[in-house]
Amino acid sequence: MASRLSGSRKDIELVVIEHDAFTLIMKGKLDYSKHIAQSEDTFMRFRAKSEQPVQVKVYDALQGELVDYDEQKLYPIFFENGYYEVIILPNNSEKKLTFYHEYARFRDAISPLSRSDILTGYLHFQNEVGLSDFEIRQEGNMLLEVQMEVFPTKLDYQKDYKNLIASVNEEIYNLAYHFIKRTYMQGSVELYKDPSPSEFYRLITTHFGTYLRAVGQVERMPHHQLVTHYEEVRGDRLRKQDSHSRAYLRKHAHKMVDVARGIPIGDRTVMPVKGLLVKKQHTADTLENRYVKFTIERIVSKLENLKASIAKFKERQDDDTDLLGRLDDMTKKLQHKLKQPFWRGIGKLDRSVSSLVLQLGAGYRDVFQVYVTISKSIVLQGELYKMSVKDIATLYEYWTFLKLGRILQDKCDAVSQDIIQASTDGLFVNLQKDRSALRTYKHPQTGELITLRYQYSTGKSVPTVTQKPDSMLSIGKQGKDYLFQYVFDAKYRIEVEEGKMPGPKLDDINTMHRYRDSIVMERRGSYERTAFGAYVLFPWHEEETYREHSLYKSIQSVNIGGLPFLPNSTQLVEEIIDALLNKTANELQAEGILPIGTKSHFNYAEQPEQLISEVKPGVAADLKENQF
């Protein structure tokens, strides 16, 4: 297959769609030299859907021009952090056009030009990849729906990005999910546990129409049950008796009186003063209808809770009246149902229901299936539901910590796995950054303790500024009363220069120097550095080639550098961790960088023994043991 065109083209037309009512143009920059991760067999999904015929042209990276599009395979043209200009030119000005995207900021971004019906603006995808849909509407009616796919620039979409999401969700289910973002992934439902509010929103919006129609069908053709009632009446009103009413007469035999024409019993003719009149009537207050009412009440309650969570979330974000309006509309429709006489006559469900009516009955079957579905969770596979995912930078940070823990678990014995403190904004799950997560391991041969901490913070223990790297690996060594600490900091950034091997950003390497110099502790009256090494973890996959990079070789000399780290590229990180775990304390100590003159100042071959006695006792003991 031919290679894509190289170089950068600015503000080229990427998409042109001709509709009877308008022309849609999307423009943007296309620089494949920065999109280093996509393989040659990666193609994008793009779709333009309209009830009227439309002419669609999409940019072909191989030919370097717009081509007629009929869902053929084309290379990606939309990427994260890209700015894409949208221009909508109406063909007539009788009816105004509007732009709709479920993400409120995108709706606001595309607006009319001053004193014009032309719509224009920019869509900016900030570290968010996946599918993104928008619509062109006219007086509320959809004229065109466009689905585009946004690709990562630093990860392979199929091999790395989806594996990264799967790894994060495997460790903490739904940690990768967000509420409504610029893009989404497609998924299907699985039975894990109660879905998060974000998942519930996606599920209920997909199935609400089906559910409402099913409830309406239940109202029109409800399941009835023949119920027997007993009413105490005068004896002359009694009719045919059943076992229950006959038992009542036997129990109340004293109410029998002698009459001329009655019931012959022995030598007497009697008639009861009172008895039970047997009545049979149809009722809709069945377990099946109680179940349907229960689902309505539960969905209303969940919608109310979701609205409250969104209102709280939107206090920190842009207000989205369209979203809250949809939820209000669903809530009002269900509440209107509950106020109808039919449902007011249905009692509360007080037991579990297992009925063929729920599984096979018209209306009941759909109510049952929808409620079961919205009570499940979404997994990112399949093509049924939209599910927004956290931005890649956040996911990469989460994944690096979780993957480091998996690597240590494979090499050591796990002591404590209760490490993750997850918090929720009422809509989605996050790792808590105000409370560090700790994982503890034991070396299988030496028994030395190793800890991995997420969002390690020096707090007030340093005299200058608090330091907070992403992950801190602390290794205890036999005979030492202190820890050897190593910083692993995730940075979703790559330095790409023409003619040079990709590597970490130089600013990130400078941050590693700062971490190692700034992370100190007071010990025996003086401050000492506790971090022996610091490494940038960045998204890159060619590990063997990277061994020749200067910022990999720098690890051997000053213990600071960068390491490529992706789901399919973990070898170099594993080698570093394996070396740190199995080196002796003296070997690790020798790798430390000391202030100039330290070794000569404490050179025991040249300095007299009294020099050591002049040093503070604790420091002298360490120096003797380390033997610089």
Side-chain angles (χ1 to χ4, degrees):
M1 180 177 290
S3 299
R4 289 167 280 189
L5 297 179
S6 60
S8 174
R9 298 194 63 185
K10 298 182 179 180
D11 297 328
I12 61 175
E13 292 185 352
L14 301 174
V15 175
V16 176
I17 301 177
E18 296 283 352
H19 189 278
D20 288 343
F22 61 89
T23 299
L24 169 67
I25 302 173
M26 296 187 68
K27 301 174 66 176
K29 297 179 181 180
L30 195 59
D31 186 359
Y32 281 113
S33 65
K34 295 183 179 180
H35 309 148
I36 56 181
Q38 303 307 318
S39 58
E40 292 293 330
D41 59 349
T42 299
F43 304 102
M44 71 172 180
R45 283 178 285 183
F46 186 86
R47 186 186 66 192
K49 180 181 178 183
S50 175
E51 294 182 357
Q52 300 180 16
V54 293
Q55 183 180 4
V56 182
K57 290 182 178 292
V58 178
Y59 186 82
D60 187 341
L62 287 178
Q63 301 184 33
E65 61 182 12
L66 288 168
V67 297
D68 291 330
Y69 181 71
D70 190 20
E71 299 190 4
Q72 69 267 33
K73 292 182 178 180
L74 292 178
Y75 284 124
I77 57 176
F78 301 106
F79 294 91
E80 60 172 324
N81 293 314
Y83 283 89
Y84 300 100
E85 183 180 9
V86 176
I87 305 171
I88 303 171
L89 304 172
N91 294 336
N92 59 72
S93 58
E94 295 178 0
K95 298 179 181 179
K96 291 186 176 181
L97 301 173
T98 57
F99 177 89
Y100 177 81
H101 192 286
E102 68 172 0
Y103 185 62
R105 292 188 182 181
F106 273 9
R107 290 200 300 272
D108 298 336
I110 311 301
S111 59
L113 286 175
S114 178
R115 296 184 298 276
S116 171
D117 293 329
I118 298 175
L119 301 178
T120 185
Y122 286 88
L123 303 181
H124 181 205
F125 296 95
Q126 301 175 348
N127 284 342
E128 295 175 27
V129 303
L131 297 171
S132 185
D133 298 346
F134 63 84
E135 300 175 5
I136 310 300
R137 297 178 177 180
Q138 190 175 63
E139 294 185 343
N141 298 318
M142 184 188 73
L143 299 182
L144 176 71
E145 180 184 14
V146 175
Q147 181 185 82
M148 54 190 292
E149 190 166 24
V150 182
F151 283 76
T153 59
K154 308 175 186 70
L155 304 178
D156 185 281
Y157 191 55
Q158 301 296 333
K159 298 178 182 178
D160 298 325
Y161 179 66
K162 293 185 177 180
N163 285 342
L164 187 147
I165 292 177
S167 299
V168 171
N169 271 359
E170 182 181 356
E171 190 80 18
I172 303 177
Y173 173 70
N174 71 29
L175 177 60
Y177 298 159
H178 204 276
F179 189 48
I180 292 180
K181 301 283 280 185
R182 298 166 178 83
T183 59
Y184 65 88
M185 300 290 287
Q186 290 182 318
S188 60
V189 293
E190 293 286 345
L191 183 58
Y192 283 100
K193 56 180 181 179
D194 290 340
S196 66
S198 296
E199 294 169 279
F200 170 74
Y201 169 76
R202 292 298 187 183
L203 292 166
I204 191 61
T205 52
T206 302
H207 294 287
F208 185 76
T210 301
Y211 178 80
L212 203 62
R213 289 191 295 272
V215 172
Q217 189 170 12
V218 169
E219 293 172 344
R220 292 189 299 271
M221 301 175 59
H223 173 256
H224 287 87
Q225 187 175 358
L226 190 63
V227 179
T228 301
H229 294 278
Y230 298 92
E231 180 182 353
E232 192 176 55
V233 298
R234 297 192 312 271
D236 59 339
R237 294 183 57 192
L238 295 178
R239 297 193 297 267
K240 184 177 181 179
Q241 301 289 284
D242 60 11
S243 58
H244 182 75
S245 58
R246 287 195 295 269
Y248 176 88
L249 293 177
R250 287 193 296 269
K251 186 176 180 180
H252 299 83
H254 60 281
K255 293 186 178 182
M256 296 289 184
V257 295
D258 293 313
V259 295
R261 300 177 62 183
I263 303 172
I265 299 179
D267 57 353
R268 297 177 60 191
T269 302
V270 297
M271 179 67 71
V273 177
K274 290 185 178 181
L276 297 181
L277 178 64
V278 180
K279 289 186 175 182
K280 292 187 178 182
Q281 64 183 38
H282 288 276
T283 180
D285 189 14
T286 64
L287 286 176
E288 290 80 7
N289 291 329
R290 290 185 178 188
Y291 175 83
V292 175
K293 183 178 181 179
F294 164 78
T295 64
I296 298 174
E297 293 172 336
R298 285 290 297 156
I299 293 175
V300 168
S301 176
K302 287 188 174 184
L303 287 171
E304 293 287 0
N305 292 336
L306 181 58
K307 287 193 295 183
S309 298
I310 291 174
K312 182 179 179 181
F313 177 68
K314 291 302 177 182
E315 291 177 1
R316 309 186 303 274
Q317 306 288 328
D318 290 343
D319 188 27
D320 191 348
T321 55
D322 181 80
L323 170 61
L324 293 174
R326 289 197 299 271
L327 295 177
D328 279 332
D329 182 64
M330 287 190 283
T331 304
K332 289 177 181 177
K333 287 179 179 178
L334 294 180
Q335 289 175 336
H336 178 70
K337 293 285 186 185
L338 292 175
K339 293 178 181 178
Q340 294 179 1
F342 176 78
W343 294 110
R344 289 206 305 266
I346 304 299
K348 289 188 174 295
L349 186 67
D350 56 359
R351 68 195 73 178
S352 60
V353 184
S354 178
S355 169
L356 288 177
V357 174
L358 289 179
Q359 300 175 20
L360 302 175
Y364 294 92
R365 176 180 62 250
D366 291 335
V367 168
F368 179 76
Q369 289 178 348
V370 170
Y371 187 74
V372 169
T373 298
I374 65 175
S375 300
K376 293 181 180 179
S377 304
I378 294 179
V379 293
L380 296 180
Q381 59 185 28
E383 300 181 353
L384 295 177
Y385 306 100
K386 299 178 180 180
M387 197 66 219
S388 294
V389 180
K390 290 183 174 67
D391 64 89
I392 302 184
T394 301
L395 284 175
Y396 187 67
E397 178 185 314
Y398 287 174
W399 175 81
T400 54
F401 171 70
L402 298 174
K403 185 61 178 179
L404 288 172
R406 287 294 184 93
I407 293 174
L408 288 170
Q409 186 173 336
D410 292 339
K411 299 179 180 296
C412 304
D413 299 326
V415 176
S416 172
Q417 296 292 343
D418 186 19
I419 62 155
I420 301 297
Q421 296 291 333
S423 63
T424 176
D425 287 338
L427 294 173
F428 48 86
V429 177
N430 288 317
L431 289 186
Q432 284 191 0
K433 292 193 174 184
D434 57 342
R435 296 178 60 186
S436 59
L438 180 66
R439 214 171 210 174
T440 307
Y441 306 89
K442 181 184 289 186
H443 195 287
Q445 281 78 41
T446 64
E448 298 166 340
L449 288 180
I450 301 103
T451 60
L452 178 67
R453 191 182 294 273
Y454 174 69
Q455 290 292 312
Y456 174 88
S457 176
T458 59
K460 297 181 179 179
S461 63
V462 297
T464 54
V465 180
T466 299
Q467 304 297 322
K468 199 170 185 179
D470 290 338
S471 300
M472 177 68 82
L473 177 65
S474 302
I475 304 174
K477 290 296 180 179
Q478 293 180 348
K480 299 296 181 181
D481 61 350
Y482 55 89
L483 299 173
F484 295 84
Q485 294 187 316
Y486 298 86
V487 173
F488 291 84
D489 209 50
K491 299 294 184 184
Y492 184 69
R493 307 200 301 172
I494 299 180
E495 186 75 50
V496 181
E497 295 184 15
E498 188 174 355
K500 294 185 178 181
M501 186 188 308
K505 288 282 188 180
L506 298 184
D507 288 346
D508 297 332
I509 295 297
N510 290 334
T511 301
M512 297 305 102
H513 281 283
R514 187 195 75 205
Y515 281 151
R516 191 177 65 178
D517 293 340
S518 302
I519 299 176
V520 298
M521 66 176 294
E522 186 177 10
R523 190 166 179 266
R524 298 188 177 102
S526 62
Y527 281 95
E528 298 175 329
R529 286 198 314 231
T530 63
F532 283 72
Y535 318 107
V536 176
L537 303 181
F538 66 100
W540 181 240
H541 49 88
E542 295 183 6
E543 294 183 282
E544 292 304 317
T545 305
Y546 182 76
R547 291 180 186 273
E548 301 301 319
H549 199 286
S550 60
L551 292 178
Y552 175 73
K553 295 179 179 180
S554 65
I555 295 176
Q556 301 297 322
S557 53
V558 295
N559 226 352
I560 286 179
L563 295 168
F565 201 41
L566 284 173
N568 296 308
S569 305
T570 62
Q571 181 179 349
L572 295 185
V573 172
E574 292 188 42
E575 289 177 1
I576 291 291
I577 292 179
D578 193 63
L580 296 178
L581 295 179
N582 294 295
K583 285 182 179 180
T584 65
N586 288 338
E587 289 174 324
L588 294 180
Q589 194 77 53
E591 293 176 352
I593 302 298
L594 300 173
I596 189 169
T598 302
K599 289 189 177 182
S600 60
H601 183 67
F602 296 112
N603 190 326
Y604 304 124
E606 299 177 3
Q607 297 292 334
E609 187 67 25
Q610 60 265 26
L611 176 62
I612 297 180
S613 64
E614 295 175 1
V615 181
K616 294 181 179 180
V619 177
D622 287 343
L623 294 175
K624 283 184 176 181
E625 186 174 2
N626 293 328
Q627 290 293 308
F628 290 113

